[in-house]
Each structure stands twice: as C-alpha cells, then as structure tokens.
Amino acid sequence: MVPSNQIVEAAGFYLQRLCIEIDNRSTGSEGNRAATDFFARTVSGFGFETESPQFDCIDWSQNGARLSVKGVPFEVFASPYSLGCQVTAPMVVVSTAEELTSAEISEKVVLLRGEIAREQLMPKNFPFYNPDHHRFIIQLLEAKTPKAIVAATSRDVVMVGSQYPFPLFEDGDFIIPSIYMTEEEGNKLAAHAGEQLQLEIQAERIPAVGCNVIARKGARQDRRVVFFAHIDARMGTPGANDNASGVSVLLLLAELLADYSGSLGVELVAMNGEDYFSNPGEQRYLAENAGRFDEIVLGVNLDDVAYHKGKVAYSLYGCPDDLVGLIQDVFTKYPDLIEGQAWYQGDHGLFIMNGTPSLAITSELLEELMGDFTHTPKDSPEIVDTNKLVTVALSLRDIVLRLDRQSG
Ligand SMILES: [Zn+2]
C-alpha cells in the first residue's frame, strides 16, 4: 500500500516544526514548552482530550568555561547543568576509585581521568539505573568537598552516543561545579599536578516547569493501549530521530484515529524528560499510574524510529502469545518493519518494570545511528525517512483497530 502524498507531507511538516522552527526542546526550555503546546494543540484538533501534568525542572544557561595553568589555556566545556564558579586552587590527579578514597582534595580542584572517567556517572537522584560504583564515586566526591572537578573523558557510546569528549557529570542536583575535556587535553593537564590552576565556569541553573502531554480517546480508559514518544531533545541538538521521529508518528497516528470511536481506550503520551538528567516526565507518569498498569493491554514506545538507512525494527516484551500473533500479523503487511534485537534503554522500561506487555519501535541500525548522530547537531531531519514515519503510524493504527475489535 502506498501512503498518500498528503500524509507524507504532514510527517515532513511535523519534523520541520519540532526540529527547525523550534530549535531546542531540552526539558525546561522555552522550546520544550513550545513543543508540548504544539503537540497538545495538534492532537486536540483530531478530537483527543488532553491533559498536561506539570513538574518542576531546571533550565540551564551557560557562557562557557575557561581553564588555565600559568596563563596557558586548555580547551574545556562546562558540564551540562553545572553550577558556575571562579576558582584558583592546586590540582590533584585521580585515576581510580581507590585513589579517590585516599586522595586529599578538599578545597582543591580534582582532575578525574582514565578508569574513573570511563563511564558517564548516573545523576545522583536518577531512579531507574544507578550502579553502586557510580553512587560510590559521587558520594566520595561530595564528602571530600573539592572546589571543582575537571574530567578528561574518552568515549561511551552506550550511554552518551557519539559525543566526544562526553560530560562525566550531567546532573542538576550535583553541587560540585565541573567541566570536561578530551583525553588528550587531560594528558597535557595531568603534567601540571600540584600546580595552581585557574578555572571559571559561567553557568546558571534556572528554575522552570515542564509537562507531559497525555491525549485520550475511546470509551474505556481501564482497558487501553498506550503509546509513548519522548518529546524532549538533548540540549543544543535538533533531535530529529531522537525523538521528533517518535513524536511525529504519534501526531500522524492521532490524525489516522480522528474518527475513532471504539471501546478500547487509546492514550498518546508525549513524554518529557528521557534525555534530561532526572527523567521527571517518566517519574510523573509512573506516580500517576501506580497500581493501574494492569489496565494497559499494550504499551508501545517509539524512539529513533525512522533512520533513513536500514529498516524499522520492533521488539516485544512480556506479550502473551495471542498478542504476539496479532502484532506480527499486522507488521508482516509492512515490508519496512522487521523484528529486531531487544534493547532496554528506552521508556518502554516503565512498562517492563510494571509487567505490562510492551512493544518497542526503533531503527534497525540503531547502533550506527547512535554512534554517528545521536545527541549531536547532525541528528537533523535529513537523516529521517518520512515514509517510514507514515508506515509506522499506519501499522499502529491497524493494531489499535484489531485490538478494539477483539475487545468487542
Ligand atoms: Zn531518545
């Protein structure tokens, strides 16, 4: 089946609107509010009832960071959400958690490099994934009260995509100002261990409010199918695949369901905060739906769904056999959709942790996409295939109609 030009054009319009006209969708920013407003208005136009539950968050403004030793400057970047500071202090170099345990860093600046700076450290209040060795390092640092932290990092494709160097800290709750630099700059800086360095970070945390948008249709909400797509984007990136693609599919699906009047409830959720340090939208959704996840017959998460290379990949989690059969039966009619590998980083984790049958949709070549584009300015509409957005929306409409018929 060939989708009409009109719907492909609508897909292109949504992408353009979300990524170009609104140039920053990071949670707490003005663009983020413009994006949630746009989503709410658009789905209302297709007859959905909407609700925009709010949460507190922060916006962050910065004017860079400067670091020098004896007047020699180094290339550095302020960690996202860092507090500002102006510091002159001696530097201590630390490469492992063991070294950190015994290091004297109070009132000094600590350079973290090598093993201790290999993985991006999870924000201290991050509720979903927070390994003990990350918590241990954060607690030690806070207990030892250094004046600031310099992190020399390499690559961590799993957690931060293609960004190099990556910020070791990205945490609006962490109280020690920090910057980051490349491994090479870190090697040069380490040669100055014990010397005075001068560091200035110009940055500010600005209290803000964000919201999820929840759009509903269908007679029953106690038996419903839920679709998630996170609407926020990484600060300073257009976030076309990540995740204007998923949001655009929700908007197309809303239009395809404009005349829907079935019994099965349909809930479209523009989730706000997947790429924000504390996932406030996810936490809000979890709290609102505590004890009610068994009403959800199927939870669907759309993230990075339409990379222009490769196919669209789906994966299933905890679905009973008849549901697996129904979904596969629909998807086989769309040659652009294939069953792909399991992945656990996305918002469908909320369904999985609540035992809700779930379906995740992403791009087949996710690894390539994450390695080359994700969380960089290169994640722009040119690498999104609008035909695939339409295909995914059509297939999801079919799933809704089949599930509704089944519920009779
Ligand atoms: Zn994403």
Side-chain angles (χ1 to χ4, degrees), residues 230 232 241-243 274-275 301-304 343 345-347 374-375:
H230 75 83
D232 61 305
N241 255 302
D242 187 19
N243 183 31
E274 204 264 349
D275 275 320
N301 182 36
L302 301 149
D303 199 345
D304 287 275
W343 62 293
Q345 276 86 357
D347 278 339
T374 303
H375 298 171

Side-chain angles (χ1 to χ4, degrees), residues 187-324:
N187 293 340
K188 280 192 257 164
L189 182 61
H192 297 278
E195 295 176 33
Q196 293 276 328
L197 58 73
Q198 288 183 307
L199 168 65
E200 181 186 19
I201 304 174
Q202 291 190 342
E204 195 187 352
R205 290 175 182 167
I206 304 158
V209 171
C211 67
N212 291 332
V213 182
I214 301 176
R216 299 193 181 93
K217 200 170 240 213
R220 292 180 61 178
Q221 285 302 317
D222 62 342
R223 190 176 178 284
R224 66 191 196 276
V225 55
V226 176
F227 297 90
F228 286 168
H230 75 83
I231 194 164
D232 61 305
R234 175 78 178 203
M235 203 183 289
T237 78
N241 255 302
D242 187 19
N243 183 31
S245 67
V247 175
S248 299
V249 169
L250 291 191
L251 294 169
L252 295 171
L253 179 61
E255 179 163 7
L256 291 169
L257 294 173
D259 297 324
Y260 176 79
S261 59
S263 147
L264 176 77
V266 178
E267 183 178 291
L268 310 178
V269 181
M271 189 72 90
N272 198 347
E274 204 264 349
D275 275 320
Y276 178 86
F277 66 90
S278 59
N279 287 179
E282 285 78 355
Q283 297 204 55
R284 178 82 212 237
Y285 189 87
L286 267 184
E288 273 166 8
N289 288 278
R292 290 176 48 218
F293 271 85
D294 59 353
E295 300 171 352
I296 304 172
V297 289
L298 175 65
V300 182
N301 182 36
L302 301 149
D303 199 345
D304 287 275
V305 295
Y307 185 39
H308 66 128
K309 295 195 217 160
K311 305 228 173 207
V312 178
Y314 69 90
S315 49
L316 297 165
Y317 308 83
C319 294
D321 289 347
D322 55 336
L323 186 54
V324 172

Side-chain angles (χ1 to χ4, degrees), residues 33-44:
R33 282 185 292 281
T36 48
D37 285 352
F38 172 66
F39 184 89
R41 256 195 333 270
T42 306
V43 295
S44 302

Side-chain angles (χ1 to χ4, degrees), residues 38-357:
F38 172 66
F39 184 89
R41 256 195 333 270
T42 306
V43 295
S44 302
F46 298 126
F48 280 76
E49 301 228 342
T50 68
E51 198 190 309
S52 300
Q54 295 188 337
F55 51 77
D56 291 331
C57 54
I58 54 177
D59 193 12
W60 184 67
S61 82
Q62 64 133 347
N63 193 18
R66 280 150 287 278
L67 170 69
S68 61
V69 182
K70 289 185 185 142
V72 179
F74 289 80
E75 191 182 15
V76 298
F77 311 93
S79 306
Y81 303 104
S82 173
L83 291 168
C85 71
Q86 196 149 18
V87 172
T88 301
M91 178 182 65
V92 180
V93 182
V94 166
S95 307
T96 63
E98 293 73 54
E99 277 177 40
L100 182 61
T101 311
S102 54
E104 285 290 337
I105 58 173
S106 178
E107 297 298 300
K108 296 177 180 163
V109 173
V110 59
L111 167 61
L112 302 178
R113 64 195 283 256
E115 189 188 302
I116 197 167
R118 197 155 290 155
E119 295 170 15
Q120 186 173 50
L121 297 169
M122 296 311 293
K124 53 193 254 198
N125 295 324
F126 189 73
F128 302 120
Y129 164 79
N130 215 331
D132 288 344
H133 66 285
H134 289 197
R135 286 174 194 269
F136 179 69
I137 293 168
I138 298 286
Q139 281 164 11
L140 263 182
L141 286 168
E142 288 195 325
K144 285 175 171 268
T145 63
K147 281 197 155 155
I149 300 169
V150 182
T153 59
S154 53
R155 287 176 200 278
D156 182 1
V157 173
V158 177
M159 294 309 292
V160 292
S162 58
Q163 207 183 355
Y164 175 70
F166 68 85
L168 188 62
F169 305 91
E170 185 171 334
D171 186 355
D173 295 319
F174 189 53
I175 53 171
I176 307 168
S178 75
I179 57 171
Y180 63 105
M181 56 170 34
T182 63
E183 236 174 354
E184 294 78 15
E185 286 287 281
N187 293 340
K188 280 192 257 164
L189 182 61
H192 297 278
E195 295 176 33
Q196 293 276 328
L197 58 73
Q198 288 183 307
L199 168 65
E200 181 186 19
I201 304 174
Q202 291 190 342
E204 195 187 352
R205 290 175 182 167
I206 304 158
V209 171
C211 67
N212 291 332
V213 182
I214 301 176
R216 299 193 181 93
K217 200 170 240 213
R220 292 180 61 178
Q221 285 302 317
D222 62 342
R223 190 176 178 284
R224 66 191 196 276
V225 55
V226 176
F227 297 90
F228 286 168
H230 75 83
I231 194 164
D232 61 305
R234 175 78 178 203
M235 203 183 289
T237 78
N241 255 302
D242 187 19
N243 183 31
S245 67
V247 175
S248 299
V249 169
L250 291 191
L251 294 169
L252 295 171
L253 179 61
E255 179 163 7
L256 291 169
L257 294 173
D259 297 324
Y260 176 79
S261 59
S263 147
L264 176 77
V266 178
E267 183 178 291
L268 310 178
V269 181
M271 189 72 90
N272 198 347
E274 204 264 349
D275 275 320
Y276 178 86
F277 66 90
S278 59
N279 287 179
E282 285 78 355
Q283 297 204 55
R284 178 82 212 237
Y285 189 87
L286 267 184
E288 273 166 8
N289 288 278
R292 290 176 48 218
F293 271 85
D294 59 353
E295 300 171 352
I296 304 172
V297 289
L298 175 65
V300 182
N301 182 36
L302 301 149
D303 199 345
D304 287 275
V305 295
Y307 185 39
H308 66 128
K309 295 195 217 160
K311 305 228 173 207
V312 178
Y314 69 90
S315 49
L316 297 165
Y317 308 83
C319 294
D321 289 347
D322 55 336
L323 186 54
V324 172
L326 183 153
I327 291 168
Q328 287 177 339
D329 194 45
V330 169
F331 284 166
T332 50
K333 297 188 175 71
Y334 296 89
D336 263 350
L337 286 167
I338 58 160
E339 184 148 14
Q341 290 171 336
W343 62 293
Y344 295 94
Q345 276 86 357
D347 278 339
H348 47 291
L350 300 192
F351 298 123
I352 296 172
M353 66 195 262
N354 282 284
T356 302

